[in-house]
Amino acid sequence: MVGTLHLIGVRTYHVHRPDCGAFEILKRLDRYILKEMAIPILIGTLSFLFMFQINMVIYLFKTLDLAHVPTGAVVKLILLKTPSFLQMTLPIGVAIASSLALARLTRESELTAMRSAGIAIRRVLRPVLGVGVLMAA
């Protein structure tokens, strides 16, 4: 896409923008919002996963006599329970990440700037909903 900007009949500058392709999956706004959500998803999910694992260890210590059980067996049990814990902690991590990302965008007036640029709120929420649907599946 090539264009020229004229100001009072005088050529001021020449603008050249390479064609990004018609089938670009993630737009720049999507990548920006996903980048804002990535670290909070990771930290939120891992912290809640760690809490679930510690809760399981406490439960095992309270209900069983672990003096005769090898430590490797307890660790193996916790690691085998981790996928079921992830089913519960991933939605929590996504909820935390989406609220933190949107709060930061609002706090620094980026959401207001997006709205003034003509971007609909539904368009801003599209990557957040996409991550939510992906993590729910």
Side-chain angles (χ1 to χ4, degrees):
M1 173 190 243
V2 177
T4 305
L5 179 66
H6 293 280
L7 182 65
I8 311 174
V10 178
R11 178 189 257 176
T12 53
Y13 64 89
H14 189 70
V15 179
H16 177 72
R17 191 175 133 212
D19 195 13
C20 295
F23 298 106
E24 184 179 77
I25 295 173
L26 290 178
K27 301 288 184 199
R28 183 177 293 172
L29 178 65
D30 296 334
R31 287 191 306 265
Y32 181 68
I33 294 172
L34 290 175
K35 187 179 78 172
E36 288 294 322
M37 290 180 64
I39 298 299
I41 283 176
L42 187 65
I43 292 173
T45 301
L46 289 178
S47 61
F48 275 93
L49 179 66
F50 184 67
M51 285 187 234
F52 273 61
Q53 290 173 334
I54 293 298
N55 190 31
M56 182 71 170
V57 170
I58 291 170
Y59 170 76
L60 289 174
F61 272 111
K62 283 185 176 182
T63 58
L64 302 174
D65 181 23
L66 293 180
H68 306 305
V69 179
T71 308
V74 174
V75 170
K76 188 174 182 179
L77 176 66
I78 298 299
L79 289 177
L80 289 173
K81 293 287 283 181
T82 298
S84 66
F85 293 156
L86 278 173
Q87 274 186 320
M88 295 178 273
T89 59
L90 274 174
I92 296 169
V94 170
I96 289 170
S98 60
S99 67
L100 286 175
L102 292 175
R104 196 198 70 73
L105 290 175
T106 303
R107 183 180 62 241
E108 296 182 10
S109 300
E110 292 183 39
L111 197 58
T112 305
M114 289 177 201
R115 292 284 297 139
S116 67
I119 300 172
I121 292 292
R122 280 186 241 134
R123 176 64 184 90
V124 174
L125 292 178
R126 187 187 313 169
V128 174
L129 293 173
V131 169
V133 167
L134 259 170
M135 294 297 178

